[in-house]
Amino acid sequence: MTNGKIVVENGVLNVPNNPVIPFIEGDGIGPDIWAAASRVIDAAVEKAYNGEKKIEWLEVLAGEKAFNQTGEWLPQETLNKIDEYLIAIKGPLTTPIGGGIRSLNVALRQELDLYVCLRPVRHFDGVPSPVKRPEDVDMVIFRENTEDIYAGIEYQAGSDEQKKLLNFLQTELGVNKIRFPETSGLGIKPVSQEGTERLVRAAIEYAIKHDKPTVTLVHKGNIMKFTEGGFKNWGYELAEKEFADKVFTWNQYDAIKAEQGEAAANEAQKAAEAAGKIIVKDSIADIFLQQILTRPTEFDVVATMNLNGDYISDALAAQVGGIGIAPGANINYVTGHAIFEATHGTAPKYAGQDKVNPSSVLLSGVLMLEHLGWQEAADLVTKSVEKTISSKVVTYDFARLMDGATEVKCSEFANELIKNL
Ligand SMILES: NC(=O)C1=CN([C@@H]2O[C@H](COP(=O)(O)OP(=O)(O)OC[C@H]3O[C@@H](n4cnc5c(N)ncnc54)[C@H](OP(=O)(O)O)[C@@H]3O)[C@@H](O)[C@H]2O)C=CC1
Ligand SMILES: O=C(O)CCC(=O)C(=O)O
Ligand SMILES: [Mg+2]
């Protein structure tokens, strides 16, 4: 083992007792939540391993702090360090709307080719929720993280590039359906077979490993036939090609139904379920957003493209208490690179107030500990979150929805979590 460096050997992480882990503090509420969460993570690791293991945190810069100190929003040094140390964790980074720099969060994912955005959504007992049975939500979102409209290929109305692209579309491709061509901004949405396959492969492998009965491909393939429709078709093909003995797809169901009738297709699906096969199905994105509210137990692992995944993450988070408690991870399962981060953003109106809930970035830290194989420390944090919330000592976001809650600051919530480890 190796100077605190985590390495990948034959696809397996080799983690020393004192791994160096780069962190980005983040903009807005980032410094508050990171200070709170890192204290809890350190205390849990200390307690779980009696001081034999310890994370050596290495600060790397991005966002406003980087710009103020170096003149760059995302210094190459930051990418180099994460590349070198493999695993990192970050707070949220601000992205201006309608102009200015493109998202640094997206840039990190693309630069390191972190093609899976993994966002587990579960309910913690006692967390206030707008739905009647939040405990029915237990899903893991696999959001494709490198393609789709997040590729940032778009041109401002009136720019030279827009005019060139418009001209190409009109003269070379005969496009005549742009309603107001001169004043339209134009964007391009790349969705590839390879990008789909590696995402869906990761989702199915996760379902197999964690004994999840279904994987749902969410798309808007009725309208966007060759991007979102392509995702659905490539996803099914991949499932049938690479996991033939482990899955039964709705594609196969439809083929049996067409040849032998509905009863035979139902029988085939039942037999597959009885044999413990994973059902790979699909759902059009609009109805999916209704069904996760009305019948969430029907969904386990969700595989989808970048924009759908972004919307679905926040919608599902709301069902289990909001994005104050919504963790995530950006992962490349081939190279081993991963950056753990909360689902939420920089919540600028709360910046520097020591007010918000640090649970999202803390639970992202739990995902990181699990990823490192430090399950004991991860479990300590999870149990402490459960215990602390059920004692009704919570930050403002939960306190405003709970009867009899004691509202505490972000840092005080961390103190309570450490006490309850
Ligand atoms: N990965 C990333 O780094 C992300 C960055 N962003 C960026 O963040 C900036 C702000 O985006 P915005 O749309 O306001 O979304 P935010 O997620 O930053 O905040 C929206 C609202 O969510 C609630 N919230 C967020 N975080 C917490 C928390 N830790 N505890 C409790 N409640 C929380 C607050 O709700 P309430 O008002 O009800 O109290 C807040 O006003 C933008 O620049 C955006 O691009 C956005 C998403 C992800
Ligand atoms: O990069 C951003 O500013 C927003 C990203 C986002 O919403 C997300 O990752 O869920
Ligand atoms: Mg988002």
Side-chain angles (χ1 to χ4, degrees):
M1 280 262 172
T2 53
N3 308 326
K5 221 179 251 181
I6 299 169
V7 290
V8 179
E9 283 161 5
N10 302 321
V12 179
L13 277 191
N14 192 343
V15 182
N17 281 342
N18 60 333
V20 175
I21 299 194
F23 71 93
I24 294 167
E25 193 178 52
D27 300 328
I29 56 172
D32 284 351
I33 57 174
W34 175 248
S38 55
R39 278 200 292 126
V40 180
I41 295 169
D42 284 343
V45 169
E46 161 83 33
K47 179 158 186 190
Y49 307 112
N50 299 315
E52 273 171 32
K53 294 182 196 276
K54 183 176 189 303
I55 294 172
E56 301 293 340
W57 298 111
L58 171 70
E59 180 163 19
V60 291
L61 299 178
E64 284 154 24
K65 194 167 182 181
F67 188 72
N68 292 339
Q69 291 188 22
T70 70
E72 288 182 72
W73 293 98
L74 182 55
Q76 186 59 42
E77 172 77 359
T78 295
L79 292 167
N80 293 347
K81 284 279 184 272
I82 300 176
D83 188 23
E84 180 180 353
Y85 289 104
L86 276 185
I87 307 291
I89 185 164
K90 70 178 275 294
L93 295 168
T94 302
T95 314
I97 300 166
I101 54 161
R102 288 208 169 264
S103 167
L104 303 169
N105 308 301
V106 172
L108 280 163
R109 298 165 195 170
Q110 289 176 339
E111 289 290 331
L112 291 155
D113 201 23
L114 307 174
Y115 59 88
V116 167
C117 178
L118 174 112
R119 290 180 166 170
V121 191
R122 57 156 284 203
H123 183 245
F124 282 83
D125 210 21
V127 170
S129 153
V131 300
K132 284 187 188 148
R133 298 181 55 81
E135 65 278 12
D136 284 352
V137 178
D138 184 6
M139 296 182 213
V140 181
I141 301 163
F142 277 72
R143 165 187 176 189
E144 202 292 322
N145 222 9
T146 61
E147 302 194 307
D148 200 351
I149 56 162
Y150 288 73
I153 311 167
E154 56 166 6
Y155 302 102
Q156 193 171 18
S159 65
D160 286 350
E161 293 85 352
Q162 187 269 9
K163 285 180 191 149
K164 267 191 203 159
L165 180 56
L166 184 64
N167 182 49
F168 177 78
L169 291 171
Q170 290 174 328
T171 57
E172 301 287 324
L173 301 180
V175 172
N176 60 9
K177 286 187 183 147
I178 303 176
R179 182 67 187 81
F180 299 109
E182 311 308 327
T183 57
S184 292
L186 295 176
I188 290 184
K189 174 183 173 79
V191 175
S192 70
Q193 179 173 358
E194 291 91 329
T196 300
E197 287 186 346
R198 62 184 185 170
L199 187 271
V200 175
R201 183 181 297 118
I204 295 176
E205 280 171 352
Y206 182 97
I208 293 168
K209 187 168 170 199
H210 295 88
D211 225 3
K212 300 283 183 186
T214 66
V215 174
T216 305
L217 309 173
V218 180
H219 59 84
K220 189 76 186 169
N222 46 342
I223 303 299
M224 293 169 273
K225 294 179 191 299
F226 306 125
T227 51
E228 305 240 344
F231 178 87
K232 175 195 150 187
N233 294 338
W234 293 318
Y236 275 141
E237 281 163 20
L238 181 280
E240 290 165 20
K241 192 172 62 196
E242 293 191 8
F243 301 94
D245 55 338
K246 298 214 163 55
V247 306
F248 179 81
T249 71
W250 277 9
N251 199 34
Q252 292 169 322
Y253 177 97
D254 285 344
I256 297 170
K257 187 173 160 190
E259 276 179 23
Q260 302 166 40
E262 193 168 348
N266 286 339
E267 276 310 308
Q269 178 160 334
K270 259 193 217 148
E273 282 166 352
K277 288 191 176 179
I278 293 162
I279 305 301
V280 179
K281 51 188 181 171
D282 74 284
S283 180
I284 298 180
D286 44 3
I287 192 61
F288 179 75
L289 286 169
Q290 169 171 317
Q291 289 176 348
I292 52 177
L293 271 169
T294 53
R295 29 191 231 246
T297 53
E298 292 182 14
F299 304 103
D300 305 290
V301 176
V302 175
T304 192
M305 283 145 289
N306 216 332
L307 181 61
N308 296 336
D310 198 357
Y311 295 158
I312 291 165
S313 310
D314 282 27
L316 270 177
Q319 280 180 241
V320 295
I323 49 177
I325 192 160
N330 306 288
I331 305 174
N332 181 318
Y333 287 100
V334 180
T335 63
H337 288 102
I339 301 180
F340 294 79
E341 72 173 329
T343 292
H344 63 69
T346 54
K349 68 183 175 189
Y350 297 123
Q353 294 181 26
D354 190 19
K355 182 178 174 80
V356 297
N357 193 338
S359 297
S360 299
V361 77
L362 176 61
L363 293 172
S364 304
V366 168
L367 293 178
M368 185 186 80
L369 292 170
E370 287 173 343
H371 191 78
L372 299 180
W374 293 12
Q375 192 64 47
E376 300 80 3
D379 290 345
L380 280 181
V381 178
T382 307
K383 290 205 175 87
S384 173
V385 170
E386 284 165 352
K387 188 171 169 190
T388 307
I389 291 170
S390 57
S391 74
K392 296 196 172 192
V393 177
V394 290
T395 44
Y396 86 99
D397 49 328
F398 291 174
R400 70 188 169 186
L401 298 169
M402 263 180 182
D403 289 332
T406 305
E407 181 178 331
V408 291
K409 288 174 181 291
C410 176
S411 58
E412 292 166 345
F413 186 63
N415 296 344
E416 201 66 18
L417 288 166
I418 291 168
K419 208 170 79 192
N420 288 333
L421 279 171

